[in-house]
Amino acid sequence: MQEEFLTMGGFDGAAGYGGRPGDADAVLAGLDPEQRAVATALHGPVCVLAGAGTGKTRAITHRIAYGVRSGVFQPQQVLAVTFTARAAGEMRGRLRQLGAEGVQARTFHSAALRQLQYFWPRAVGGEVPRLLERKVQLVAEAAGRTGLRVQRTELRDLTSEIEWAKVTQIVPDDYPVAVLKAGRDAPRDPAEIARVYATYEQTKRDRNVIDFEDVLLLTAAILEDRPEIAERVRGQYRHFTVDEYQDVSPLQQRLLDQWTGGGEDAGLCVVGDASQTIYSFTGATPDYLLNFRTKHPGATVVKLVRDYRSTPQVVHLANGLLGQARGEAARHRLELVSQREAGPEPLYAEYPDEPTEAETTAHRIKELLDRGPGNGGCRASEIAVLFRTNGQSEVYEQALADLGISYQLKGAERFFERPEVREAGLLLRGAARAASDPLTADAPDLASQVRAVLATRGFTPTAPAGSGAVRERWESLAALVRLAEEFEAGRRAAGEETDLAAYVAELDGRAAAQHAPAVEGVTLASLHAAKGLEWDAVFLVGLSEGTLPIIYAKTDEQLEEERRLLYVGVTRARVHLSLSWALSRSPGGRASRKPSRFLDGLRPGSSGSGSRGGAGGGRGGVEGGGERSAGRRAPRGPVKCRVCDRTLTEAVERKLRRCEGCPSSMDEGLYERLREWRARQAKKQGAPAYVVFTDATLMAIAEDVPASTGELSLISGVGAMKLDKYGAAVLSLCAGEEPEEDQAVEADDLPAEAADDPA
């Protein structure tokens, strides 16, 4: 009966014991004392409190591998659960390399679905209802059936409310009271949402479909109602590891209790960090992590605080950010200790408007790319721009595209669903099946074979110039080549041979788990989507009041979660960290915004008591980005094209005050003189040219040709600081004269006798 249970789809059977008896201690090599304590704590409940970058995945995978190699764990009796398919795929890869094949590493939903599919015919009868991949359409139909007219933009909020209610185990009739008790801002009248929720549930029953929350609900219900089935599950899985335990919902905890039996003898290991709880709006709560010791008095508790990811400068900022936090999670915060060498100070930057912030950020990224990894720079895939809401991405997409910088928008089209990736998979699968393929016959290694196959679809060793669809296609194929290199290196390190067939199997497994390889491009992502990731350089943008914290964060709990969200963003950076904000949304807008309160007491020149005063420049200081003087009002209202009077929306067009296609009145000679002058200024300062003025600002000056300080100050990108510093020189150039500073420099460069010569 047990053998049938292992092989008929409910669970995976043992895939073989990958360890080598007698060398269990080898798994412990290279672990620090705290990680080693985690790895050797194989009995009883274990709670690992792991700060950002402290190697928690390393600790728990080595714990599982040590348990398997030492004979304490049987691999087929171990279940590791986490929250994303990517994290589960990474965990499986690490376990395989550590000789712990056969261990199950899955998301909560994936593990529950396999159990539901196996036990449903025995517990309920018949086939499992069809799984509803996307519920938005059904929610829209339910809203219509209740007589509600719902805008398309409201559907996502309605769907999220239903998901929250289900994971917090609230039925439709109880929703209005529950939402009031939770202090939750419902997107519509709670009574209306309750009706939509009830109709949605009835519609699913009528059509015999279930959603992802039902997978957890139904699996937990079967285990609760059928003790003999629950005992079979507990007999199969005796050791459980739960990653990101601060993010479990009441429904997930209910299922976990059924899996483990909830007793002290349950082989349960949980790992998490209350300071990284950022999903409470979905029903996640850190309470189970914070109260683990209360529920399990005999639990082993280990704290990981050695940060191997970030430099001391980044860690210092992260600790300072949490040092101002309040609430229950803050009382359990971990003080990180960086294990890396010193790096650059975090840079704080203030800009007059969002387009300027985006343009300057893009130029800074280009500078890192131009310097390269060996010269203090970075690869594109090691740079990220992180923001609070997805709606902020567009201006950064445009700014990067304008400079020909490739980027990937996290959360957009899934990698394995891209046409070029699907086509590549078919080609590689065909080559792997062929007994002898002339394309791969002379290739010396796996990566060369993959390159040869992909070359038939236009893949080249070097990237095409520019950005756009051609570059994106190349980046997708290049990611498959890099994955082949990494896959082969990993197999060799484990003493295993590999071939094209094994690589194709790896691709299939990754596609099923949506564990995509890294694409060579700058990452644009929301702070929520960045959780669990890391980069060499991180640009945290849009850090102004009303955006972070978000305007609808009202309660102390909501504000503290916004602070934790910024903490997550800060701790994604390994070396370079930039934090910036804009004083207005659009060029010429009123400079009424203030930097985020979370930066008070951290950015130079600010205090922890809520002061939002200015700050000095320099490394770690606030860099001016053409900010406007508080005493001078900027023009309000829409910006119109000076030629055709059309309202302008694009950042560069608004700066030039004309449509891109409308005739330009730019003085070409003046523009070139401005560029030459800017180059001299940049050289003197040892800074990139755009720090003086961007190209768009110089074009605007050359079109307007201002004759006074007042006229110059009205040009977007010429703020008070730059007006004081460069105003006289720019006006001299506009008047056809050489700036005094340049005349002085030229005289100083002459020999003494020539300088005195009136000729």
Side-chain angles (χ1 to χ4, degrees):
M1 189 69 175
Q2 181 74 3
E3 184 65 27
E4 175 195 16
F5 183 43
L6 287 171
T7 59
M8 289 191 64
F11 299 75
D12 281 344
Y17 174 51
R20 293 179 291 277
D23 66 348
D25 287 345
V27 174
L28 305 178
L31 300 182
D32 68 31
E34 294 78 24
Q35 293 171 343
R36 188 184 182 98
V38 173
T40 54
L42 302 180
H43 302 283
V46 178
C47 179
V48 183
L49 301 176
T54 57
K56 68 179 178 65
T57 305
R58 177 181 175 84
I60 58 177
T61 52
H62 279 69
R63 176 181 183 270
I64 294 171
Y66 182 70
V68 169
R69 287 193 173 207
S70 63
V72 177
F73 298 170
Q74 293 300 311
Q76 68 269 24
Q77 293 182 338
V78 181
L79 176 61
V81 290
T82 187
F83 283 80
T84 67
R86 186 196 62 81
E90 180 184 352
M91 193 176 292
R92 282 195 296 272
R94 293 198 189 193
L95 289 170
R96 183 171 59 244
Q97 292 177 0
L98 291 170
E101 293 190 47
V103 171
Q104 293 295 294
R106 298 188 175 277
T107 64
F108 265 101
H109 287 90
S110 173
L113 181 60
R114 292 173 69 83
Q115 294 178 23
L116 187 66
Q117 290 170 334
Y118 182 80
F119 290 118
W120 181 275
R122 293 161 174 76
V124 181
E127 294 184 357
V128 180
R130 180 174 61 85
L131 181 62
L132 191 65
E133 293 288 343
R134 296 180 70 253
K135 58 172 70 73
V136 172
Q137 187 58 43
L138 207 59
V139 170
E141 185 177 333
R145 291 175 62 182
T146 59
L148 287 183
R149 298 186 62 182
V150 181
Q151 298 291 330
R152 181 176 298 180
T153 54
E154 291 181 281
L155 279 176
R156 187 174 64 178
D157 292 336
L158 269 177
T159 302
S160 296
E161 280 302 293
I162 291 174
E163 290 173 348
W164 173 79
K166 297 187 74 168
V167 300
T168 51
Q169 304 180 88
I170 297 166
V171 297
D173 289 346
D174 295 339
Y175 173 80
V177 174
V179 79
L180 182 65
K181 184 178 179 181
R184 189 175 178 87
D185 289 329
R188 290 188 70 113
D189 180 87
E192 293 179 337
I193 294 177
R195 290 198 298 273
V196 175
Y197 180 14
T199 305
Y200 168 77
E201 291 296 305
Q202 184 59 52
T203 304
K204 286 198 289 104
R205 287 191 291 270
D206 293 343
R207 298 181 183 176
N208 196 33
V209 296
I210 58 176
D211 59 28
F212 280 102
E213 290 72 41
D214 291 329
V215 171
L216 303 182
L217 279 164
L218 293 171
T219 304
I222 287 175
L223 298 179
E224 290 165 352
D225 294 344
R226 300 287 295 270
E228 74 281 7
I229 292 178
E231 286 305 313
R232 288 186 64 189
V233 172
R234 295 165 196 161
Q236 168 65 32
Y237 290 130
R238 299 181 181 274
H239 310 283
F240 296 86
T241 299
V242 185
D243 193 14
E244 304 288 0
Y245 193 55
Q246 78 278 353
D247 288 331
V248 296
S249 68
L251 177 54
Q252 288 166 331
Q253 183 62 45
R254 174 184 169 188
L255 178 59
L256 182 61
D257 286 340
Q258 288 302 312
W259 283 344
T260 65
E264 280 297 302
D265 58 344
L268 176 62
C269 173
V270 301
V271 57
D273 178 10
S275 296
Q276 296 188 66
T277 303
I278 59 173
Y279 292 108
S280 64
F281 64 93
T282 67
T285 171
D287 291 349
Y288 302 113
L289 175 67
L290 298 177
N291 298 327
F292 191 84
R293 190 75 176 267
T294 302
K295 184 176 180 179
H296 303 281
T300 299
V301 179
V302 182
K303 295 182 179 180
L304 303 182
V305 296
R306 301 176 195 246
D307 188 318
Y308 297 95
R309 174 188 300 160
S310 304
T311 63
Q313 287 75 14
V314 173
V315 167
H316 177 73
L317 174 56
N319 286 337
L321 188 60
L322 283 191
Q324 300 177 357
R326 295 173 175 80
E328 184 65 19
R331 284 193 286 273
H332 294 267
R333 64 179 175 268
L334 299 168
E335 188 83 7
L336 300 177
V337 181
S338 176
Q339 305 298 298
R340 295 192 55 162
E341 294 182 358
E345 291 287 343
L347 175 67
Y348 300 83
E350 182 175 276
Y351 299 99
D353 51 66
E354 289 182 7
T356 303
E357 182 181 14
E359 290 167 11
T360 311
T361 298
H363 279 287
R364 286 211 174 104
I365 289 172
K366 189 174 188 305
E367 182 184 354
L368 287 172
L369 295 174
D370 290 343
R371 281 156 56 186
N375 194 32
C378 307
R379 291 167 45 194
S381 58
E382 294 299 343
I383 302 174
V385 179
L386 306 181
F387 30 76
R388 176 60 178 85
T389 65
N390 287 319
Q392 294 171 266
S393 74
E394 184 176 359
V395 67
Y396 291 92
E397 293 179 57
Q398 184 62 53
L400 291 172
D402 287 345
L403 295 181
I405 299 173
S406 297
Y407 64 86
Q408 54 176 328
L409 189 60
K410 189 160 182 60
E413 181 185 30
R414 291 182 173 183
F415 178 82
F416 288 104
E417 293 174 3
R418 297 178 184 177
E420 64 270 21
V421 175
R422 297 176 67 177
E423 182 184 29
L426 292 173
L427 292 171
L428 291 168
R429 194 171 291 108
R433 283 198 301 263
S436 60
D437 192 323
L439 286 174
T440 61
D442 298 326
D445 53 34
L446 176 62
S448 299
Q449 293 176 21
V450 174
R451 289 191 196 96
V453 173
L454 299 185
T456 63
R457 289 301 181 269
F459 178 74
T460 58
T462 56
S467 58
V470 174
R471 179 62 180 258
E472 290 174 4
R473 174 184 171 84
W474 185 91
E475 294 289 1
S476 296
L477 299 180
L480 294 176
V481 173
R482 285 193 299 273
L483 180 60
E485 295 170 345
E486 295 166 2
F487 178 69
E488 186 170 30
R491 300 271 287 199
R492 283 178 177 171
E496 301 172 357
E497 294 184 359
T498 189
D499 56 18
L500 199 54
Y503 173 67
V504 169
E506 172 74 5
L507 282 182
D508 290 342
R510 281 174 167 259
Q514 286 301 323
H515 181 202
V519 174
E520 193 59 36
V522 174
T523 299
L524 300 179
S526 70
L527 287 164
H528 283 101
K531 179 75 167 62
L533 303 174
E534 59 186 79
W535 296 270
D536 285 341
V538 169
F539 293 81
L540 300 175
V541 299
L543 302 183
S544 59
E545 285 290 305
T547 303
L548 191 71
I550 200 76
I551 193 169
Y552 52 73
K554 305 292 186 184
T555 67
D556 290 343
E557 292 82 2
Q558 291 169 339
L559 288 170
E560 286 306 316
E561 180 143 335
E562 292 290 297
R563 186 194 305 275
R564 293 194 296 270
L565 193 56
L566 179 56
Y567 173 79
V568 166
V570 167
T571 55
R572 299 310 95 195
R574 299 189 190 108
V575 181
H576 304 279
L577 177 62
S578 172
L579 305 95
S580 64
W581 58 93
L583 298 179
S584 68
R585 179 176 182 179
S586 304
R590 187 163 61 93
S592 59
R593 290 180 176 178
K594 298 177 181 179
S596 170
R597 70 189 71 180
F598 301 141
L599 301 181
D600 289 346
L602 300 176
R603 60 186 177 91
S606 66
S607 70
S609 59
S611 168
R612 305 192 199 283
R619 294 175 63 186
V622 178
E623 176 188 280
E627 67 277 10
R628 295 186 180 275
S629 166
R632 177 161 50 85
R633 288 188 176 273
R636 299 185 184 184
V639 179
K640 300 280 190 176
C641 174
R642 68 177 84 191
V643 180
C644 70
D645 205 39
R646 181 178 72 87
T647 299
L648 304 175
T649 57
E650 297 296 328
V652 174
E653 290 183 342
R654 291 170 66 90
K655 181 167 286 191
L656 297 175
R657 293 191 295 114
R658 65 170 174 81
C659 300
E660 184 178 6
C662 284
S664 170
S665 59
M666 184 174 71
D667 183 331
E668 298 285 352
L670 173 58
Y671 178 65
E672 289 305 318
R673 292 196 300 275
L674 286 167
R675 283 174 56 86
E676 292 170 1
W677 166 82
R678 181 183 66 174
R680 294 193 297 271
Q681 290 296 319
K683 184 176 180 181
K684 290 179 189 177
Q685 299 175 30
Y690 65 83
V691 170
V692 181
F693 285 120
T694 65
D695 285 347
T697 300
L698 294 187
M699 291 174 66
I701 293 171
E703 289 201 0
D704 284 355
V705 193
S708 67
T709 301
E711 292 178 4
L712 179 59
S713 70
L714 295 177
I715 295 175
S716 177
V718 184
M721 186 186 73
K722 294 193 176 183
L723 192 65
D724 292 340
K725 190 170 184 178
Y726 305 124
V730 169
L731 290 173
S732 294
L733 288 165
C734 290
E737 303 169 354
E738 284 296 318
E740 289 185 8
E741 59 194 55
D742 284 350
Q743 294 172 7
V745 169
E746 289 166 4
D748 289 342
D749 288 342
L750 292 174
E753 62 271 28
D756 293 332
D757 185 349

